[in-house]
Amino acid sequence: MTHHAVTPPPPRPPELAAAHSVSAVVNAAVARARDAQPLWAERPSSERAAVIRRFHDVLYRRRHEVAGIVTRENGKTLTDALVADVLVTLDFANWTAAHAPRFLASRWRRVAGLLFLRKRVRIERKPIGVIGIIAPWNYPFFLPTTCVLPALACGNAVVLKPSEFTPESAGVLESLFREAGLPDGVLQVIQGDGAMGAALVRGGVDKVVFTGSAATGRRIAIACAEQLIPCALELGGSDAAIVLADADLRHAADGITWARFANAGQTCVSPKRVYVEAAAFDGFVAAAARAVAELHVGRGEDAESEVGPMIHAAAVAVLNAQRDDALERGARVVATAPHPAAGTRGPFFPPTILTDVDESMRVLREETFGPLMPIVRVKDAEEAIARANASEFGLSASVWTRDRARGLAVARRLEAGTVMLNDATAVVGMPSVPYGGVKTSGLGRMHGEAGLEEFVQSTPIVDDRIATLHQPWWFRYGAAHYRGIEDYGRFAHAPSLVERLRGLPGVIRLLLTKKGSR
């Protein structure tokens, strides 16, 4: 045999080599998940719930470690990390373990419609397969985990791509599940930037769950549509808070100040536009200004800090530009929190309140992802509702009033995925309450039974309880059959009781005719 020399291929350009490497990582993870998922799905739902309960126990034991990781990577205060990333996640683990088995259990039920009197149905909820989750940096433990929990409980495998800014927060999540006994391959974390996320979307997963910007969400939705796979998208918002004239102004100011400035204002579901009825405007602004002036801004690791730094300097630059645009167009700064102590380094933006704001300014048109809060005077609730609904976003909203009936009436008219009365933001931490947006704020719902539905395919199994009787809609056409069908229509739908009863004998013959007879 003659051996010919083989010319080696030319070296791959760095960008192509990187792309090849990213695809290889994604393909390997998805293949591993595909192999592991069937055995995980075959386990009884009670066994999968037991793994989630063990995860809960491991997380509780390691809660301070996890909170410390989140604070170190994200910059948020230890209190914010412990409450919003760890303790709330413990609530979700408890709820999922308790409710998923009941949700997944199937039972025989009646079928609506007289024509289907003999039928019964059971809904089998089956896992979708391999779920690709792309998670953000602002709640780097809570947000991915509250997607992972229902996905795993329903029998899916998960490939998780966290933000490149908070890789360790997702890495510890994988560690916790491994310690809880989750089988290898059922949950995998792949690290990388947007290129890794894009590869995951087209990497052969069966569904994509994404939390992030509207622009990226649109690209993901297009990619999923081209593959005919589903997606669930939470795409941020510019939530409106409406303060009615009868509200407890100190209560409203404290609640809105916390909701807006916690996590350095980097929360999708927080009040970013505050509309106050004219009669309460001055009092609310004064109360909010007092609350902001008392805030302690500092490093997240400092126990006294209430507002930490932002995620990076580029985020501060964006917020500076939005604030400066408003000031150039006539807005006023009416309150600013004290700056951090001298020598404290980090990408800080002190919590700031603006007034004299209008829709020409970026702070009302765009999402402000940081501690900047515009307060707008409105004539009445009608104007507040109209201006709140004028946004392209619709993630959440809040209404502040002592009159619950009036608050409910206003809430029903707001174009938002969720509305809270006399509180804000906290809805995202409620395990049993569906959460998601409308308009540009996203597709689908997380949390509660609606969130469990996002991770299953529902398969109805329909049974006929009298298998030897001819079905009324099968072929046996003729004059007698047509009269029976007409009698069914009369009995089921005629407005008069007398007319309905006239159709009863024909319906009985139609439903009880034996196979093949005419």
Side-chain angles (χ1 to χ4, degrees):
M1 176 180 284
T2 302
H3 294 275
H4 299 280
V6 178
T7 304
R12 184 182 284 112
E15 63 273 14
L16 293 182
H20 177 77
S21 174
V22 164
S23 296
V25 169
V26 169
N27 292 341
V30 172
R32 193 171 181 224
R34 187 76 62 197
D35 288 342
Q37 188 270 328
L39 290 176
W40 175 245
E42 286 176 7
R43 290 196 181 191
S45 60
S46 59
E47 287 188 15
R48 298 197 297 266
V51 172
I52 291 174
R53 288 192 183 93
R54 290 197 296 272
F55 164 81
H56 167 276
D57 295 344
V58 174
L59 174 58
Y60 178 76
R61 179 167 46 80
R62 297 174 62 183
R63 63 192 182 281
H64 296 297
E65 172 195 352
V66 175
I69 290 171
V70 170
T71 293
R72 183 168 64 250
E73 288 196 310
N74 170 278
K76 68 177 65 181
T77 66
L78 279 170
T79 298
D80 280 350
L82 184 62
V83 173
D85 271 277
V86 177
L87 298 185
V88 175
T89 299
L90 288 169
D91 287 340
F92 273 78
N94 269 341
W95 187 89
T96 303
H99 286 80
R102 291 201 291 268
F103 168 80
L104 295 168
S106 60
R107 60 182 176 83
W108 290 109
R109 305 174 185 179
R110 292 180 56 190
V111 175
L114 178 63
L115 199 60
F116 304 113
L117 186 65
R118 289 159 33 192
K119 303 292 185 186
R120 60 178 183 167
V121 64
R122 63 189 298 151
I123 309 298
E124 299 290 333
R125 293 187 169 100
K126 302 176 182 178
I128 293 172
V130 178
I131 309 296
I133 298 175
I134 302 174
W137 49 260
N138 58 331
Y139 290 86
F141 187 81
F142 167 72
L143 286 176
T145 310
T146 54
C147 297
V148 168
L149 287 168
L152 296 182
C154 291
N156 301 282
V158 172
V159 179
L160 167 64
K161 204 295 284 186
S163 168
E164 62 271 32
F165 299 114
T166 53
E168 196 178 350
S169 296
V172 74
L173 169 61
E174 189 175 25
S175 166
L176 294 168
F177 268 110
R178 190 180 303 115
E179 187 174 342
L182 186 69
D184 288 345
V186 177
L187 170 64
Q188 298 169 80
V189 175
I190 55 174
Q191 304 286 1
D193 59 11
M196 187 70 75
L200 179 60
V201 171
R202 294 189 177 275
V205 297
D206 300 303
K207 182 169 185 171
V208 175
V209 179
F210 171 75
T211 303
S213 72
T216 303
R218 285 190 179 95
R219 293 195 292 271
I220 289 173
I222 290 169
C224 289
E226 289 173 347
Q227 301 172 83
L228 287 179
I229 62 172
C231 60
L233 310 172
E234 197 263 84
L235 305 179
S238 184
D239 292 4
I242 295 177
V243 181
L244 300 178
D246 71 315
D248 180 325
L249 298 185
R250 182 58 187 266
H251 177 79
D254 286 348
I256 292 172
T257 298
W258 167 79
R260 183 67 199 100
F261 297 131
N263 196 32
Q266 299 167 125
T267 303
C268 297
V269 55
S270 70
K272 296 166 186 167
R273 300 173 293 143
V274 184
Y275 298 102
V276 185
E277 283 193 300
F281 183 82
D282 291 340
F284 176 81
V285 170
R290 284 194 299 271
V292 167
E294 295 170 358
L295 290 175
H296 189 287
V297 180
R299 290 176 52 81
E301 295 87 349
D302 297 340
E304 299 300 318
S305 293
E306 294 173 305
V307 179
M310 295 183 68
I311 186 67
H312 46 55
V316 175
V318 171
L319 211 60
N320 277 326
Q322 290 174 319
R323 179 202 57 202
D324 293 346
D325 169 78
L327 296 178
E328 289 168 6
R329 295 173 184 272
R332 287 190 305 125
V333 173
V334 296
T336 304
H339 287 260
T344 304
R345 295 184 177 182
F348 287 98
F349 186 102
T352 301
I353 294 177
L354 299 175
T355 59
D356 297 339
V357 179
D358 61 49
E359 273 72 11
S360 71
M361 302 172 188
R362 292 173 59 188
V363 292
L364 290 187
R365 298 197 319 269
E366 303 172 355
E367 180 176 21
T368 51
F369 214 64
L372 183 62
M373 183 169 76
I375 304 177
V376 182
R377 184 196 304 264
V378 293
K379 182 178 68 174
D380 54 23
E382 289 299 317
E383 182 184 353
I385 293 168
R387 295 180 76 166
N389 288 342
S391 172
E392 66 173 306
F393 296 103
L395 184 57
S396 184
S398 59
V399 182
W400 302 77
T401 176
R402 286 188 176 96
D403 185 338
R404 284 189 173 86
R406 188 181 181 211
L408 180 60
V410 171
R412 284 173 168 162
R413 296 174 59 190
L414 293 174
E415 297 169 1
T418 59
V419 183
M420 298 194 75
L421 301 181
N422 297 310
D423 200 356
T425 301
V427 64
V428 73
M430 300 175 182
S432 61
V433 178
Y435 168 74
V438 299
K439 299 193 284 189
T440 306
S441 289
L443 306 169
R445 291 291 181 270
M446 292 292 110
H447 311 170
E449 288 205 358
L452 292 169
E453 286 282 5
E454 291 284 351
F455 295 103
V456 296
Q457 300 179 85
S458 295
T459 303
I461 298 176
V462 181
D463 174 48
D464 195 289
R465 285 177 285 193
I466 311 178
T468 59
L469 292 183
H470 197 82
Q471 301 295 347
W473 48 87
W474 287 359
F475 286 136
R476 61 165 186 236
Y477 295 172
H481 180 260
Y482 186 85
R483 286 194 299 272
I485 294 294
E486 174 62 19
D487 283 337
Y488 164 77
R490 180 180 296 115
F491 181 75
H493 301 291
S496 162
L497 176 61
V498 173
E499 187 176 357
R500 288 188 179 190
L501 292 176
R502 286 175 181 165
L504 181 58
V507 169
I508 294 173
R509 286 193 298 272
L510 182 73
L511 295 179
L512 299 181
T513 300
K514 289 187 177 181
K515 184 176 180 180
S517 63
R518 291 183 180 270

